[in-house]
């Protein structure tokens, strides 16, 4: 819909952050890269049969669909790509418009853009597990209060029981996958990390810039494992990450939001770099912890996150929420 001299609010539906593990191509997958030649295009969804819409958001222009693909459970994520400023001239020249309403100075049209300017970013998770289906399903959320003892007696045992693979993380660190996307690579085993675009960002404009720094140390699951001994690592990620983004995207540190999630979507320490002003999934105060605050807290108290009471949201069907209820903590 194209509207002249008028703008209408669209109601939003809350979306959880996409699991990066779920969106990863296999290490030997060479197809599906953005900007590929026409010969590389294929319809991998030709056998997909939709059974239900797990969740959607009119505001975010995204939909999560559950169904079957070649007898396997699958989840397909459909997301409209943003309008790019550098394509506006071509959009205005090459589009067709049909008038729907005119009233005084206000006109509303249905606009059909050229196909290459009207793409839908599509993520396919196949085979999808029950955990994937539950993750994308719209559900009520609850705020959990977790003490240091709660983490050791409830959360940590639950994490250790989970079976989601981190192989896709190790593939990135070992350059077996996505090596061409790496923005910065520090190979130091103690303070090193790999910085690369998150798959939620199509890299066509910096307004929704989103990169992930994955640390090389493999024994740090989350914020809870951090102590003052990790300060050199965190400071290196913070400083070198900002420098790399300035060099590659000409975006200064004053326009970046740099933070960690708790709970994270996967248990290998990683840091989020997003453009300030972009309402990235999971950037709210109940889940995001600014890296600058994390560093300062550890400088003040070396064991800050091992004893600190932390709050975070959990969805109604989350197994961890059930553990907290069984322990009488909710």
């Amino acid at each position: 819909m194209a509207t002249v001299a008028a703008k209408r609010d669209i109601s939003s539906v809350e979306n959880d952050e996409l699991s990066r593990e779920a969106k990863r191509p296999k290490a030997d997958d060479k197809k599906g890269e953005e900007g590929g030649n026409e010969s590389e295009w294929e319809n991998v969804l030709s056998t997909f049969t939709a059974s239900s819409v797990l969740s959607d958001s009119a505001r975010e222009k995204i939909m999560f669909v559950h169904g079957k693909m070649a007898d396997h459970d699958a989840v397909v994520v459909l997301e409209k790509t943003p309008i790019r400023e550098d394509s506006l001239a071509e959009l205005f020249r090459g589009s067709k418009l049909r008038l729907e309403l005119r009233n005084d100075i206000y006109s509303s049209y249905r606009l059909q853009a050229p196909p290459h300017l009207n793409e839908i970013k599509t993520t396919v998770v196949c085979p999808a597990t029950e955990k994937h289906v539950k993750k994308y399903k719209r559900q009520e959320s609850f705020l959990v209060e977790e003490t240091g003892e709660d983490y050791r007696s409830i959360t940590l045992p639950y994490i250790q029981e989970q079976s989601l693979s981190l192989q896709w993380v190790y593939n990135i660190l070992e350059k077996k996958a996505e090596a061409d996307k790496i923005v910065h690579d520090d190979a130091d085993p103690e303070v090193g990390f790999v910085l690369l675009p998150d798959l939620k960002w199509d890299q066509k404009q910096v307004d929704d810039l989103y990169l992930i720094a994955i640390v090389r140390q493999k024994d740090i699951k989350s914020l809870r494992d951090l102590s003052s001994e990790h300060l050199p690592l965190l400071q290196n990620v913070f400083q070198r990450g900002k420098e790399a983004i300035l060099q590659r995207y000409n975006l200064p540190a004053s326009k970046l939001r740099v933070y960690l999630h708790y709970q994270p979507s996967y248990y290998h320490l990683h840091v989020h770099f997003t453009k300030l002003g972009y309402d990235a999934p999971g950037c709210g105060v109940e889940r995001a912890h600014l890296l600058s605050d994390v560093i300062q807290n550890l400088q003040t108290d070396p064991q800050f996150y091992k004893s600190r009471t932390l709050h975070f949201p959990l969805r109604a069907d989350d197994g961890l929420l059930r553990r907290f209820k069984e322990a009488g903590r909710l």
Side-chain angles (χ1 to χ4, degrees):
M1 174 75 71
T3 303
V4 180
K7 182 177 181 180
R8 295 174 180 164
D9 292 330
I10 303 175
S11 62
S12 64
V13 180
E14 180 182 2
N15 286 306
D16 289 324
E17 179 185 12
L18 293 177
S19 167
R20 203 172 165 98
E21 176 271 332
K23 300 197 295 184
R24 286 288 156 205
K26 294 183 177 61
D28 60 352
D29 186 0
K30 303 299 182 184
K31 295 185 178 183
E33 299 291 334
E34 289 192 46
N37 297 327
E38 188 69 26
S39 60
E40 295 175 340
W41 289 78
E42 56 181 326
N43 186 7
V44 299
L45 296 178
S46 60
T47 62
F48 180 73
T49 303
S51 59
S52 65
V53 174
L54 299 173
S55 62
D56 62 3
S57 171
R59 182 172 70 94
E60 300 295 337
K61 307 294 191 299
I62 191 168
M63 178 177 287
F64 303 84
V65 185
H66 180 217
K68 291 280 189 180
M69 183 183 295
D71 296 326
H72 293 293
D73 269 318
V75 174
V76 175
V77 184
L78 304 172
E79 181 179 6
K80 291 287 291 183
T81 56
I83 299 171
R84 304 196 332 263
E85 184 176 353
D86 61 3
S87 68
L88 288 178
E90 185 179 4
L91 179 68
F92 294 143
R93 285 196 311 269
S95 298
K96 297 184 295 184
L97 289 89
R98 184 178 66 196
L99 180 67
E100 293 195 333
L101 179 146
R102 178 177 289 130
N103 184 355
D104 193 29
I105 66 171
Y106 301 98
S107 301
S108 179
Y109 298 86
R110 180 73 61 177
L111 183 149
Q112 289 186 346
H116 66 283
L117 298 180
N118 193 30
E119 296 177 343
I120 297 177
K121 179 176 171 57
T122 304
T123 300
V124 179
V125 185
C126 184
T129 66
E130 184 180 355
K131 291 180 182 178
H132 289 127
V133 174
K134 286 183 177 180
K135 181 179 183 66
Y136 300 127
K137 192 173 183 179
R138 183 189 300 114
Q139 292 190 41
E140 187 178 8
S141 293
F142 298 85
L143 195 65
V144 173
E145 179 182 84
E146 179 195 77
T147 65
E149 179 56 34
D150 289 334
Y151 173 74
R152 290 183 288 274
S153 63
I154 302 174
T155 306
L156 183 57
Y158 178 79
I159 293 171
Q160 292 170 336
E161 294 170 9
Q162 301 310 297
S163 58
L164 282 178
S165 172
L166 291 174
Q167 187 57 51
W168 66 269
V169 174
Y170 306 145
N171 286 341
I172 291 174
L173 294 175
E174 297 166 10
K175 295 187 177 180
K176 294 179 180 178
E178 303 186 63
D180 60 323
K181 292 185 172 69
I182 292 175
V183 173
H184 181 78
D185 183 8
D186 185 333
D188 189 287
E190 296 299 320
V191 301
F193 66 97
V194 170
L195 180 70
L196 74 167
D198 188 276
L199 288 182
K200 287 184 286 297
W201 182 36
D202 65 10
Q203 305 177 60
K204 294 182 179 179
Q205 61 283 311
V206 298
D207 287 344
D208 56 345
L209 177 139
Y210 199 143
L211 294 101
I212 295 290
I214 302 175
V215 306
R216 291 199 171 275
Q217 290 194 44
K218 295 183 179 181
D219 58 348
I220 311 175
K221 295 181 182 66
S222 72
L223 200 62
R224 283 293 192 188
D225 289 336
L226 294 174
S227 66
S228 59
E229 69 178 84
H230 299 113
L231 282 171
L233 166 63
L234 299 176
Q235 290 166 333
N236 189 52
V237 171
F238 194 39
Q239 185 61 33
R240 300 303 179 194
K242 292 185 295 183
E243 291 173 356
I245 290 173
L246 176 61
Q247 182 177 0
R248 176 69 67 90
Y249 304 106
N250 197 30
L251 201 64
S254 60
K255 293 188 176 182
L256 292 176
R257 182 193 293 116
V258 187
Y259 56 97
L260 297 88
H261 279 153
Y262 191 77
Q263 296 284 328
S265 56
Y266 53 94
Y267 291 94
H268 178 108
L269 190 72
H270 56 284
V271 177
H272 303 254
F273 289 77
T274 63
K275 186 176 185 295
L276 192 66
Y278 169 48
D279 188 18
C283 70
V285 296
E286 70 278 10
R287 192 178 180 196
H289 298 255
L290 289 175
L291 181 54
S292 56
D293 288 345
V294 172
I295 291 172
Q296 189 173 49
N297 289 336
L298 291 173
Q299 290 171 331
T300 303
D301 178 358
Q303 303 297 318
F304 185 89
Y305 290 103
K306 296 188 185 297
S307 59
R308 175 77 174 180
T309 295
L310 299 175
H311 297 77
F312 52 85
L314 289 176
R315 288 155 37 110
D317 71 338
D318 196 303
L320 183 55
L321 181 70
R322 184 171 61 252
R323 296 290 180 89
F324 270 82
K325 288 181 177 180
E326 291 170 352
R329 295 291 291 120
L330 194 68

